[in-house]
């Protein structure tokens, strides 16, 4: 017998993982290996069976307890010589009937050796599917409608989901007589044990289609390309996900559809940068505008606005435009816009311009440079205090 992998390893967990951690890990692995999501990968079916088997044990408190104590021998009598994991006593079971009920109670023999049987005719919800869309910065701020092409499982239009070709009928499975399961007998250390497993001929449905649908090959579903119209709300941010209920794979046996998980990417903007619902931008001003003050034009996502900067404005000065940020999703409030001023020093001056600047500089006094004067006063005091020591 091939050596089985540790169930915790199969799900990518550490021993002692909580119930929620086990559920989350199972969902993640199911998306990774589900055959419907990876029809071109023949290995996914075996990997999915391994994941189902691990989850069947670890999600059941009783089986998980036995597995934690005895390993695979605690839940699968055919592993490692049957009862090899129970040496040294009965492992907490009160009598022989408890051992039969807890060890052989369907596990290891149902669904072809992958856990307890499930009703193959029960409604099953369709799988969620993933897709992505890229929008511009302004589309994210204002909201936009997009047409998205997706590949999803849909009910076969040829057989209407029955899996049968035309007027073909179904017949009762001759192996399981319509029960969907068959009984097997296995010789163990405790004698001959009868157990039940899913009928391999009808896959648990209890019936067989005489002439399967040629289009879906009897499955009743097939993968097709669909176009979905999506309203992306104003305020959506980069790497956020929109859930579109019922737009995923169709269910089977009357089960509900899965959802479409749409991952949104937002392009950068040449002027604006976003921080939550606030917008930041840098505005260059001329030397004279900064010195004398001026009315400047500030771009916003709503269009240009006018703003008066005061005389003597310094590089790095930040002012706020209240309510000019991004709209909060499904709310009326908006963030703010923060504008940082940068004073652009002129270059490539002519001799005359330089002479005029030197004349202008000479006309200034220390009070015109308050910060510069304060800096040199502090520097002077530092050296004086040093020499006094």
């Amino acid at each position: 017998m091939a050596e089985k992998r540790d169930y915790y390893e199969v799900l990518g967990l550490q021993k002692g993982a909580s119930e929620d951690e086990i559920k989350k890990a199972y969902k993640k692995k199911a998306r990774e290996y589900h055959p419907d999501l990876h029809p071109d990968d023949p290995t996914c079916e075996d990997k999915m069976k391994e994941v189902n088997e691990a989850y069947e044990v670890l999600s059941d408190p009783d089986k998980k307890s036995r597995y934690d104590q005895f390993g695979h021998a605690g839940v699968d009598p055919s592993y490692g010589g049957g009862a090899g994991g129970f040496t040294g006593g009965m492992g907490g079971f009160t009598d022989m009937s408890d051992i039969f009920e807890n060890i052989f109670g369907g596990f290891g023999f149902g669904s072809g050796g992958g856990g307890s049987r499930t009703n193959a005719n029960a409604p099953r919800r369709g799988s969620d599917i993933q897709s992505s869309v890229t929008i511009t910065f302004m589309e994210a701020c204002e909201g936009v409608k997009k047409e998205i092409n997706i590949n999803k499982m849909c009910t076969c239009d040829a057989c209407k989901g029955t899996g049968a070709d035309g007027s073909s009928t179904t017949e009762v499975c001759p192996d399981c007589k319509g029960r969907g399961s068959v009984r097997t007998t296995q010789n163990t250390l405790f004698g001959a044990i009868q157990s039940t497993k899913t009928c391999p001929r009808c896959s648990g449905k209890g019936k067989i289609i005489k002439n399967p649908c040629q289009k879906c090959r009897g499955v009743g579903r097939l993968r097709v390309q669909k176009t979905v119209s999506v309203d992306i709300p104003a305020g959506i941010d980069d790497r956020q996900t929109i859930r579109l209920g019922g737009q995923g794979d169709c269910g089977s046996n009357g089960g509900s559809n899965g959802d479409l998980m749409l991952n949104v990417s937002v392009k950068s903007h040449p002027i604006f940068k976003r921080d939550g619902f606030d917008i930041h931008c840098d505005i260059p001003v001329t030397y004279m505008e900064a010195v004398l003050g001026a009315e400047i034009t500030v771009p916003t996502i709503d269009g240009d606005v006018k703003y008066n900067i005061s005389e003597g404005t310094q590089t790095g000065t930040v002012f706020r435009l209240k309510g000019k940020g991004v709209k909060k999703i499904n709310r009326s409030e908006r963030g703010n816009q923060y504008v940082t001023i940068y004073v652009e020093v002129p270059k490539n001056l002519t001799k005359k311009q330089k002479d005029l600047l030197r004349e202008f500089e000479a006309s200034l006094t220390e009070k015109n440079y308050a910060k510069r004067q304060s800096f040199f006063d502090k520097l002077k005091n530092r050296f004086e205090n040093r020499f006094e020591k």
Side-chain angles (χ1 to χ4, degrees), residues 11-249:
L11 295 181
L13 296 168
Q14 296 292 327
K15 188 174 181 179
S18 67
E19 182 180 348
D20 286 342
E21 289 173 331
I22 292 170
K23 287 182 179 179
K24 289 179 181 178
Y26 172 72
K27 291 180 180 179
K28 179 180 178 181
K29 292 294 182 181
R31 287 193 296 270
E32 186 175 351
Y33 297 128
H34 199 289
D36 286 346
L37 300 179
H38 308 280
D40 297 328
D41 189 347
T43 66
C44 281
E45 184 173 357
D46 290 336
K47 291 178 180 178
M48 193 65 216
K49 287 181 179 179
E50 186 180 41
V51 169
N52 283 334
E53 181 176 337
Y55 180 68
E56 176 66 29
V57 173
L58 298 183
S59 63
D60 185 312
D62 182 49
K63 293 174 184 177
K64 180 174 181 291
S65 176
R66 297 203 306 273
Y67 179 74
D68 288 345
Q69 187 174 5
F70 302 109
H72 290 292
V75 291
D76 188 349
S78 64
Y79 184 87
F86 295 95
T87 57
M90 298 184 68
F93 297 114
T94 57
D95 54 35
M96 192 63 69
S97 63
D98 286 339
I99 296 177
F100 275 76
E101 180 181 355
N102 286 278
I103 301 176
F104 304 121
F107 183 80
F109 301 94
S111 301
S116 59
R117 293 185 299 109
T118 57
N119 184 0
N121 296 309
R124 294 184 182 179
R125 181 182 182 274
S127 300
D128 294 340
I129 61 175
Q130 300 273 341
S131 188
S132 60
V133 63
T134 300
I135 61 176
T136 67
F137 185 92
M138 292 304 298
E139 286 175 336
C141 294
E142 299 170 351
V144 66
K145 176 174 285 190
K146 289 286 185 179
E147 300 292 321
I148 309 296
N149 293 323
I150 60 173
N151 291 311
K152 57 182 288 187
M153 295 295 291
C154 293
T155 301
C156 176
D157 56 354
C159 66
K160 309 304 181 185
T162 65
D165 186 13
S167 60
S168 177
T169 59
T170 60
E171 61 183 22
V172 175
C173 175
D175 289 3
C176 67
K177 304 299 187 293
R179 293 189 299 270
S181 61
V182 293
R183 298 186 67 82
T184 60
T185 302
Q186 182 176 7
N187 293 321
T188 72
L189 181 66
F190 303 104
I193 303 299
Q194 286 192 337
S195 56
T196 302
K197 70 174 184 179
T198 300
C199 176
R201 184 164 184 177
C202 67
S203 300
K205 292 183 176 295
K207 56 187 178 181
I208 296 176
I209 299 174
K210 297 183 67 174
N211 297 309
C213 172
Q214 296 298 310
K215 188 171 184 178
C216 67
R217 298 181 181 180
V219 177
R221 304 188 306 163
L222 69 165
R223 191 169 297 280
V224 297
Q225 187 178 80
K226 292 283 188 179
T227 300
V228 179
S229 180
V230 182
D231 287 315
I232 299 177
I236 195 76
D237 206 350
D238 187 41
R239 298 184 181 181
Q240 286 190 322
T241 299
I242 301 173
R243 177 187 289 272
L244 300 172
Q247 296 289 354
D249 287 345

Side-chain angles (χ1 to χ4, degrees), residues 260-362:
L260 168 61
M261 311 300 290
L262 184 62
N263 302 309
V264 180
S265 296
V266 181
K267 295 179 181 179
S268 59
H269 193 276
I271 296 176
F272 302 123
K273 290 182 176 59
R274 180 171 172 178
D275 180 14
F277 295 101
D278 294 330
I279 289 178
H280 295 259
C281 73
D282 301 333
I283 300 292
V285 298
T286 67
Y287 177 76
M288 292 305 298
E289 286 175 330
V291 171
L292 302 178
E295 182 183 73
I296 62 173
T297 300
V298 180
T300 74
I301 61 174
D302 301 318
D304 294 344
V305 299
K306 299 296 183 180
Y307 187 85
N308 290 311
I309 60 173
S310 59
E311 63 178 72
T313 295
Q314 305 295 312
T315 288
T317 298
V318 179
F319 61 85
R320 182 185 71 169
L321 298 177
K322 188 175 181 180
K324 288 297 183 180
V326 181
K327 182 179 182 294
K328 298 181 180 180
I329 299 178
N330 298 324
R331 294 166 60 183
S332 58
E333 297 94 333
R334 292 178 57 171
N336 303 313
Q337 179 168 328
Y338 293 91
V339 181
T340 302
I341 295 295
Y342 282 89
V343 180
E344 186 174 10
V345 178
K347 298 180 179 179
N348 304 317
L349 300 179
T350 64
K351 181 178 181 304
K352 181 178 180 181
Q353 290 169 333
K354 292 178 181 179
D355 290 340
L356 289 172
L357 278 177
R358 291 189 183 101
E359 182 181 346
F360 171 70
E361 177 71 14

